[in-house]
């Protein structure tokens, strides 16, 4: 850490020197000709433009200097020479460092290599960086440091900036897609009396004034369905959900979901809608339906093909493909034995028979499926809140969309019978009957139209479209353990 401390000390000396010259190191507003990308669009030799950004590179040519200014939209080069800005300004320029923010007014010209450059006529110091860029002393090789200091990661890592710009573009395009089709964006409570809509451990809190124990929502589903009861026919919410559970490459306790509900539709119609939407996102944001995933060296390790139509297959048929055609004909004991002995899966004694099959499915189908696959007609034990299939009551009318080895989206023909819904919620809650959302059940008794609904994990979708290996790479500020000093 000694070299870092020395560099910080040098920067603080320059801070004092700037103030001694009457220059405020943390300046005021600076009128620009637009973001740097806009400045480049407006660039025309001989024109005067104004740009502001962080200094990310500096070439000292003796009497002349070239610096690169960067913001979230791009980079532009600026040229400094004493003849252009004067001796006093040049002395101030020499007190600048990599990482500082400056504003420049200059004349547009092209260098011998054709690089668009602003010949500075004057400049202002906008913010002095008191710490050096990380690559000056240890780089950003420490992956955890990238997550803890995302602001540094965004400055130093162009790929990280591109990932988050794609995520932002995805959300914008997703809203546009749904609104074009008549869906209305709504907001539902994050603080809830009953954490419903999924089987998950909630975070709890307390409202002092009302004396209420509350939960951070684990899903917005039950409130969105209340809106169907109220007469809305197409609604969606891009929402933050919170689940007090483990952290892994695929899980963060705080995550983003899209939930969509469509009155008078079913799971097959919302599957069509989702398929169309993801393909549009891929084409708009990535420019292709073929998504390449690369390793750290830039080598392509996987290509995901999103070309439509996507495969649709029943749950039982997929299990038979990997576990044997007789899987559902043999006894539960033989299924358990085959899963442990032949497939080497970790099956616990307390696992029910349907959980044994689900374990086979997750390890041998889900984790090995990378191109899109809609898994349909799942056992009702797996999805207790969906409508039962008319032909086979042991199944429910649902899909689970798998892409990139993970479940990306569940979609249902929604259950709208209040009596069956109550029974299913009781089964889901077990002995914790206080978890029953009586107000939601009351709403259902007023009548909810048949509907199709789906949830879509935005973080996992971003991972798939950008090739990120961890959910932490697509969340700006993931939850981490406190750093030990």
């Amino acid at each position: 850490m000694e070299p870092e401390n020395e560099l910080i000390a040098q920067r603080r000396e320059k801070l004092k020197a700037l103030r001694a010259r009457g220059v405020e190191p943390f300046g005021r507003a600076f009128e620009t000709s637009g973001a740097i990308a806009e400045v480049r669009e407006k660039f025309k030799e001989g024109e005067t433009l104004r740009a502001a950004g962080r200094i990310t590179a500096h070439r000292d040519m003796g009497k002349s200097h070239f610096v690169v200014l960067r913001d979230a939209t791009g980079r532009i080069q600026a040229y400094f020479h004493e003849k252009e800005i004067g001796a006093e300004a040049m002395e101030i320029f020499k007190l600048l460092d990599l990482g500082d923010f400056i504003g420049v007014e200059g004349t547009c010209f092209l260098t011998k290599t054709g690089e668009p450059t602003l010949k500075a006529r004057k400049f202002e110091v906008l913010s002095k960086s008191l710490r050096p860029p990380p690559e000056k002393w240890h780089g950003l090789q420490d992956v955890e440091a990238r997550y803890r200091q995302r602001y540094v990661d965004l400055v130093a890592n162009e790929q990280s900036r591109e990932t988050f710009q794609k995520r932002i573009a995805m959300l914008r395009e997703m809203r546009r897609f749904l609104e074009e089709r008549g869906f209305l964006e709504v907001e539902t409570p994050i603080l809830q009396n009953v954490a419903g809509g999924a089987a998950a451990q909630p975070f709890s809190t307390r409202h002092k004034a009302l004396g209420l124990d509350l939960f951070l929502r684990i899903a917005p589903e039950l409130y969105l369905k209340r809106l169907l009861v109220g007469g809305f026919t197409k609604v969606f919410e891009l929402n933050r959900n919170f689940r007090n559970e483990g952290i892994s490459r695929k899980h963060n306790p705080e995550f983003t979901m899209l939930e969509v509900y469509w009155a008078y539709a079913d799971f097959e119609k919302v599957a069509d809608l989702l398929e169309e939407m993801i393909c549009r996102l891929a084409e708009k944001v990535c420019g292709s339906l073929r998504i390449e995933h690369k390793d750290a060296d830039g080598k392509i390790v996987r290509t995901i093909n999103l070309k439509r139509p996507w495969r649709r297959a029943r749950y039982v048929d997929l299990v038979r493909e990997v576990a044997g055609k007789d899987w559902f004909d043999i006894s539960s004991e033989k299924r358990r034995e085959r899963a442990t002995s032949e497939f080497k899966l970790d099956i616990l004694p307390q696992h029910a028979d349907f959980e044994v099959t689900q374990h086979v499915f997750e390890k041998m189908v889900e984790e090995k499926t990378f191109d899109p696959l809609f898994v349909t007609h799942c056992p009702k034990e797996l999805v207790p809140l969906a409508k039962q299939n008319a032909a086979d009551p042991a199944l429910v009318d649902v899909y689970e969309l798998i892409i990139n080895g993970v479940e990306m989206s569940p979609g249902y023909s929604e259950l709208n019978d209040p009596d069956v819904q109550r029974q299913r919620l009781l089964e889901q809650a077990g002995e914790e009957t206080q978890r029953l959302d009586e107000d939601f059940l009351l709403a259902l008794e007023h009548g909810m139209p048949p509907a199709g609904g789906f949830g879509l994990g935005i973080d996992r979708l971003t991972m798939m479209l950008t090739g990120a290996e961890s959910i932490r790479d697509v969340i700006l500020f993931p939850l981490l353990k406190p750093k030990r000093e």
Side-chain angles (χ1 to χ4, degrees):
M1 294 295 289
E2 284 304 313
E4 180 193 359
N5 291 335
E6 290 174 13
L7 289 170
I8 291 171
Q10 291 171 13
R11 285 172 178 249
R12 287 197 170 272
E13 286 301 316
K14 290 181 180 179
L15 182 77
K16 292 178 184 176
L18 285 169
R19 285 186 168 138
R21 290 177 174 272
V23 176
E24 172 50 52
F26 303 100
R28 300 184 183 277
F30 182 83
E31 190 71 32
T32 70
S33 303
I36 286 176
E38 294 174 291
V39 171
R40 291 184 71 97
E41 287 177 8
K42 295 175 182 177
F43 190 91
K44 185 179 179 182
E45 286 195 86
E47 292 285 321
T48 297
L49 293 174
R50 292 165 64 88
R54 187 190 290 271
I55 300 173
T56 57
H58 178 197
R59 279 189 297 134
D60 185 346
M61 313 287 286
K63 290 186 177 181
S64 59
H65 299 258
F66 289 91
V67 301
V68 173
L69 302 184
R70 182 182 284 280
D71 67 11
T73 68
R75 62 185 291 281
I76 194 163
Q77 184 170 262
Y79 168 78
F80 290 81
H81 196 286
E82 186 175 318
K83 287 192 299 183
E84 301 293 333
I85 62 172
E88 185 177 345
M90 202 67 207
E91 290 303 311
I92 294 170
F93 175 84
K94 291 176 182 177
L95 296 174
L96 298 177
D97 289 297
L98 293 182
D100 292 355
F101 284 88
I102 63 170
V104 176
E105 180 182 294
T107 307
C108 299
F109 80 102
L110 295 174
T111 64
K112 292 178 181 177
T113 59
E115 177 72 22
T117 304
L118 294 178
K119 183 185 291 184
R121 293 207 300 259
K122 55 184 178 181
F123 75 96
E124 293 180 25
V125 181
L126 302 179
S127 185
K128 182 71 181 164
S129 174
L130 299 181
R131 289 181 176 268
E135 62 270 20
K136 290 290 287 184
W137 38 280
H138 67 56
L140 273 179
Q141 303 305 312
D142 183 350
V143 174
E144 188 167 305
R146 291 174 48 201
Y147 303 144
R148 290 191 185 279
Q149 294 180 284
R150 180 68 80 190
Y151 44 90
V152 176
D153 177 42
L154 293 171
V155 171
N157 188 342
E158 188 169 351
Q159 183 178 347
S160 184
R161 284 196 306 275
E162 288 178 358
T163 293
F164 289 106
Q165 285 169 338
K166 282 185 176 180
R167 180 181 176 124
I168 291 164
M170 275 172 45
L171 294 173
R172 184 172 59 243
E173 191 60 38
M174 202 174 289
R175 284 187 164 98
R176 184 179 293 127
F177 176 89
L178 290 168
E179 287 168 356
E180 286 172 359
R181 285 152 183 79
F183 287 86
L184 302 177
E185 183 171 10
V186 297
E187 296 173 301
T188 62
I190 291 175
L191 291 175
Q192 301 182 354
N193 289 316
V194 179
Q201 181 68 32
F203 288 93
S204 59
T205 186
R206 185 165 178 80
H207 190 287
K208 291 182 180 178
L210 294 178
L212 278 181
D213 290 322
L214 297 169
F215 303 96
L216 298 183
R217 72 172 166 214
I218 55 177
E221 176 178 337
L222 303 188
Y223 281 91
L224 290 170
K225 288 179 177 177
R226 285 168 167 90
L227 296 179
L228 296 182
V229 173
F232 286 83
T233 56
K234 292 182 174 182
V235 293
F236 75 94
E237 184 173 10
L238 276 161
N239 56 86
R240 303 290 283 180
N241 291 337
F242 309 85
R243 299 186 182 179
N244 198 353
E245 297 169 346
I247 295 175
S248 72
R249 184 182 70 85
K250 299 184 288 187
H251 297 90
N252 192 65
E254 179 181 1
F255 60 97
T256 304
M257 287 282 290
L258 168 70
E259 287 213 14
V260 175
Y261 291 88
W262 183 0
Y264 316 116
D266 61 10
F267 82 99
E268 291 179 309
K269 287 189 75 171
V270 294
D272 293 338
L273 181 75
L274 178 66
E275 184 175 331
E276 183 184 356
M277 184 179 73
I278 292 178
C279 287
R280 174 156 148 182
L281 292 178
E283 289 178 320
K284 291 277 188 180
V285 176
C286 304
S288 173
L289 292 178
R290 294 179 65 83
I291 310 298
E292 294 178 346
H293 288 195
K294 300 178 182 179
D295 61 18
D297 299 321
K299 180 182 177 183
I300 297 171
V301 294
R302 181 181 303 122
T303 299
I304 296 173
N305 185 4
L306 299 179
K307 185 179 178 181
R308 302 180 73 187
W310 294 353
R311 185 188 178 196
R312 302 189 186 195
R314 288 178 170 247
Y315 179 88
V316 293
D317 294 334
L318 291 164
V319 171
R320 287 190 182 109
E321 286 177 13
V322 296
K325 293 181 179 179
D326 62 345
W327 177 263
F328 293 102
D329 301 321
I330 59 179
S331 67
S332 60
E333 290 76 14
K334 287 186 178 180
R335 278 194 285 269
R336 186 179 295 269
E337 182 183 352
R338 186 180 295 181
T340 53
S341 302
E342 188 176 336
F343 304 147
K344 311 298 182 187
L345 299 180
D346 186 16
I347 305 297
L348 301 178
Q350 62 266 34
H351 280 152
D353 186 43
F354 78 89
E355 291 176 308
V356 174
T357 299
Q358 177 63 4
H359 208 54
V360 170
F361 172 81
E362 288 174 350
K363 295 297 181 182
M364 300 175 66
V365 178
E366 183 176 293
E367 292 183 6
K368 297 180 181 179
T369 299
F370 296 97
D371 288 346
L373 168 63
F374 283 111
V375 182
T376 68
H377 300 92
C378 297
K380 66 178 182 180
E381 294 89 351
L382 293 177
V383 194
L385 302 184
K387 190 181 286 286
Q388 282 175 269
N389 182 263
D392 186 349
L395 305 178
V396 283
D397 286 341
V398 302
Y399 74 72
E400 288 184 7
L401 173 62
I402 299 168
I403 315 179
N404 197 29
V406 297
E407 182 192 354
M408 196 73 64
S409 165
Y412 300 178
S413 291
E414 299 295 342
L415 185 56
N416 60 340
D417 181 327
D419 295 333
V420 175
Q421 180 74 86
R422 175 179 291 277
Q423 186 58 38
R424 299 274 190 86
L425 288 174
L426 281 168
E427 291 168 1
Q428 188 183 58
E431 295 180 2
E432 298 183 56
T433 53
Q434 74 275 13
R435 288 178 53 197
L436 231 58
D437 191 335
E438 291 289 350
D439 183 71
F440 169 65
L441 292 169
L442 176 63
L444 278 193
E445 289 179 2
H446 285 82
M448 187 185 93
F454 72 80
L456 174 63
I458 301 302
D459 307 314
R460 290 183 177 183
L461 179 64
T462 308
M463 289 173 66
M464 186 272 290
L465 290 177
T466 63
E469 286 299 310
S470 169
I471 196 169
R472 294 181 178 186
D473 292 323
V474 300
I475 296 175
L476 280 167
F477 302 104
L479 185 65
L480 300 167
K481 284 185 178 179
K483 189 175 181 181
R484 294 181 179 177
E485 298 297 336

